[in-house]
Amino acid sequence: MRYLGLTLDGRWSFGPQFAKLAPRLESAAAALGRLLPNVGGPDSLCRRLYVGIVRSMALYGAPIWCDALTTKNKTLLRRPQRVIAVRAIRGYRTVSWTAATLLASDPPWELQAEVLAEVYRFRSSLRARGQVPSADQTARVRAQAQRALIHWWKEDLESPAAGPETVDAIRPHLRHWVRRRHGCFGKYLHQIARREVTPACHECGAPIDTARHTLEECAAWGPQRHALVAVIGGDLSLSSVVRCMLGSERC
């Protein structure tokens, strides 16, 4: 049975709902993705807007179905989220769901569904008692639910299945990262894009060119590295750099 845009089944499992929703989300994400090339194209604000469009489609009716989120249903939600998140960060198809959503500051949609459900339950409970929730009350409950979301997301990132370096760099600063308003390296161009014969650095000749190599070792970037160290200190680990980026307007 279909009611107010939701497909209901006798067991309230919402399996048919997600089975129909997933192709629509993937089509929408792919269509919007064609407007978001890796090089050039809309700026970050426009890309965040497109992410929001697909997210809104995905989370319609979330307070009703969030308690029925099975592993299968979560997978159906994560596929389109990854597609649009990759476009938002100007990434490539090889970027994992974990890394793409983290870089895009877009928490897992199943966790965002919990936030919507918490706000809905609060408002419903007051109305059941004949009270009208104020805007301030609703904002406080939403803020509390958002803090819980960050906590849940941080726990989920303790043992990432993919993108461990990205997670290690951002996870310690997750709360600040999601509040803040991407070059190719030899290793990627060689192993993934197949555009280089070797993963070597074109600047200094090092055998493997990675983001970490550029940040910490490459002699060609010595002056810039010296200036960076003068500002943030000698610790150039990804986690330290991200912390300084988030904590200083100068960085």
Side-chain angles (χ1 to χ4, degrees), residues 19-240:
K20 293 181 179 180
L21 177 63
R24 289 178 52 223
L25 294 177
E26 292 181 17
S27 296
L32 290 173
R34 287 191 285 271
L35 302 175
L36 305 173
N38 290 349
V39 180
D43 60 17
S44 60
L45 290 177
C46 182
R47 290 170 185 266
R48 290 170 69 91
L49 174 63
Y50 286 162
V51 171
I53 292 172
V54 183
R55 184 198 304 122
S56 296
M57 294 172 59
L59 298 182
Y60 174 76
I64 307 301
W65 51 252
C66 74
D67 291 334
L69 274 175
T70 62
T71 300
K72 180 180 179 180
N73 292 341
K74 290 180 182 179
T75 300
L76 292 175
L77 280 179
R78 291 182 177 188
R79 288 175 183 168
Q81 184 181 17
R82 176 183 170 275
V83 172
I84 197 64
V86 165
R87 288 301 184 179
I89 63 173
R90 300 178 184 268
Y92 294 87
R93 289 180 295 177
T94 53
V95 179
S96 68
W97 170 82
T98 300
T101 54
L102 189 55
L103 290 171
S105 300
D106 189 29
W109 285 349
E110 63 265 25
L111 297 183
Q112 297 190 54
E114 292 286 351
V115 173
L116 296 174
E118 184 64 27
V119 174
Y120 174 79
R121 285 191 288 263
F122 167 74
R123 293 168 62 90
S124 296
S125 64
L126 286 186
R127 286 172 175 164
R129 299 196 297 267
Q131 303 176 27
V132 178
S134 68
D136 288 342
Q137 287 177 312
T138 302
R140 284 195 295 270
V141 172
R142 182 176 288 108
Q144 183 178 357
Q146 289 285 358
R147 288 193 292 270
L149 178 151
I150 297 299
H151 175 73
W152 295 330
W153 195 12
K154 202 169 186 177
E155 285 190 342
D156 287 346
L157 293 172
E158 283 186 354
S159 302
E165 288 193 353
T166 302
V167 173
D168 289 344
I170 297 176
R171 184 177 177 273
H173 323 289
L174 186 59
R175 182 170 63 88
H176 297 289
W177 177 262
V178 298
R179 291 180 177 179
R180 90 213 188 285
R181 289 291 176 244
H182 118 74
C184 286
F185 301 94
K187 183 177 180 180
Y188 175 86
L189 293 174
H190 172 66
Q191 293 185 358
I192 306 299
R194 307 293 184 184
R195 297 179 184 175
E196 295 284 352
V197 177
T198 73
C201 175
H202 286 280
E203 303 294 337
C204 70
I208 299 180
D209 177 29
T210 63
R212 186 182 297 276
H213 164 74
T214 299
L215 180 63
E216 300 179 3
E217 304 166 355
C218 185
W221 296 95
Q224 291 87 347
R225 186 179 303 110
H226 180 76
L228 179 63
V229 168
V231 175
I232 71 172
D235 185 1
L236 293 179
S237 65
L238 290 177
S239 179
S240 176

